[in-house]
Amino acid sequence: MPLVMGVDSSTQSCKVVVVDTDSGSVVREGRAAHPDGTAVDPQAWWDALEAAIAEAGGLDDIAAWAIGAQQHGMVALDSEGQVVRDALLWNDTRSAGAADALVEELGADILAARTGSVPVASFTVTKLRWLRQEEPAHATRVAAVALPHDWLTWRLRGFGPLGSRRGPVLDELTTDRSDASGTGYWSPETGEYDRELLVAALGHDVVLPRILSADEFVTDAAGRRVGPGAGDNAAAGLGVGAGLGDVVVSIGTSGTVFAVSDRPVVDPTGTVAGFASADGHFLPLVCTLNAARVLDVTARLLGVDHDELSRLALASPPGAQGLRLVPYFEGERTPNLPDATAELLGMTLASTTRENLARAAVEGMLAGLAAGLDALRELGVPIRRALLVGGGAQSEAVREVAPSILGVPVEVPAPAEYVALGAARQAAGTLLAQ
């Protein structure tokens, strides 16, 4: 009965699951919160990981482990393994101007062809350009750049700043193709880093994590096998069992729509990011900044809990009598409108009711995700069903309204920690590798 551990280090918290590889069942779990904000000291992630592992019973009986985590976050390290500054997270939009500058300098078509994506403020490459422009002293110190899952894997393997068990060996940083594909300086065609783009952003070359293949592993200080890990969306795809023709619609802090494809996708408009999956396929993805929090803010405004918000929404007719919510409460990534604000349209004496506002919130949030499915279809990505996951998928109103808005059959898997389970599945795979 080998046990493996999977980790989901998300924006809000760290979740750990311990899985029995014989039965596939979760036997222990742990959780710890992350601080709010769009710039976070990575030490907070490390503290949360240690706390969650302890709550899940520790590592002593674990045979293998892997970490999934939020994508894009810039963890800049100096030559001694110290974090240079707080990590800028995916939802930090201060690098929007840097993204525009890179696109203007290099061209959207060229960037899409070389990296599979047109960079926006969430991408690591834009954050590096921002660092070079706004904090040149910090930029000069950078000797290595990692993503959250890369850095946490490195630390849990025993590496880290001077004084850590195995020392600041930057060449021991590792990652996988799914997370590398979200940096803006990795090529899905060659499977290699595009260092020319890295230098165009930061101003000099640095150590980047070695990219492990899907069946490759490294070891920690105790000799346990460590899987490549993955970005959160790719790990969730593994956890939910998504296959070719499936599109996963995840309604969490951000909204994501990603399909499993057997070919890379290039979209010069930047709507679809040409990411890679964790298992050797491709993961064309559309991301919105505004998802479950649209429901949160509407529930607070109406003074109700989420169950009552759902009841109100289902008491309103489709279309909410013309009331329409454009839900850009936090700016938006897709479409790329970092400074946008939300709007409530179609207000009349008849339409402005609690029920219609609740319905408009559900429909508005889903409409942003439906636009993502349309963008995938336009690029020829086959879609046969949608798998609806994330906290927002637990809303009865969301589940009932989704098929008509998304235009595809919808299945709602049982609630589970799919990112952590995907990482655990990856860890289990290392036990079979030679």
Side-chain angles (χ1 to χ4, degrees), residues 100-112:
D100 292 340
L102 286 168
V103 173
E104 183 177 351
E105 291 170 19
L106 299 166
D109 290 354
I110 291 174
L111 287 167

Side-chain angles (χ1 to χ4, degrees), residues 92 129 143 188 196 225 254 277 366 405:
D92 192 302
R129 170 57 72 89
E196 184 179 352
R225 294 190 173 189
S254 63
S277 72
L366 287 171
I405 301 292

Side-chain angles (χ1 to χ4, degrees), residues 211-256:
I211 299 172
L212 302 178
S213 62
D215 58 357
E216 196 173 357
F217 63 88
V218 289
T219 58
D220 65 14
R224 302 179 191 88
R225 294 190 173 189
V226 180
D232 51 2
N233 293 302
L238 287 179
V240 79
L244 293 173
D246 288 336
V247 59
V248 179
V249 180
S250 178
I251 308 175
T253 303
S254 63
T256 54

Side-chain angles (χ1 to χ4, degrees), residues 84-97:
V84 170
R85 69 159 341 269
D86 287 355
L88 300 186
L89 307 192
W90 62 272
N91 55 352
D92 192 302
T93 59
R94 75 184 74 181
S95 59

Side-chain angles (χ1 to χ4, degrees), residues 7-16 30-35 41-56 151-152:
V7 177
D8 172 15
S9 182
S10 72
T11 313
Q12 303 97 336
S13 62
C14 180
K15 285 85 68 177
V16 168
R31 177 185 295 262
H34 286 161
D41 183 349
Q43 181 65 36
W45 302 334
W46 175 246
D47 293 342
L49 176 60
E50 289 192 306
I53 290 174
E55 186 175 290
W151 184 78
L152 286 169

Side-chain angles (χ1 to χ4, degrees), residues 370-394:
L373 269 75
D374 290 340
L376 293 173
R377 293 187 184 101
E378 289 173 6
L379 292 172
V381 178
I383 298 173
R384 62 183 179 87
R385 66 168 177 169
L387 301 171
L388 204 63
V389 300
Q394 304 316 305

Side-chain angles (χ1 to χ4, degrees), residues 286-352:
V286 176
C287 182
T288 67
L289 288 180
N290 299 275
R293 287 181 178 176
V294 175
L295 306 182
D296 294 341
V297 72
T298 307
R300 287 198 301 270
L301 179 64
L302 294 174
V304 298
D305 62 17
H306 281 274
D307 288 340
E308 179 64 9
L309 180 73
S310 186
R311 189 196 68 77
L312 288 169
L314 292 175
S316 170
Q321 294 184 291
L323 196 67
R324 184 165 67 93
L325 178 67
V326 180
Y328 299 159
F329 289 95
E330 298 184 282
E332 190 46 82
R333 169 174 168 172
T334 305
N336 185 24
L337 300 169
D339 299 319
T341 57
E343 297 179 346
L344 188 62
L345 307 173
M347 297 178 71
T348 67
L349 291 176
S351 68
T352 309

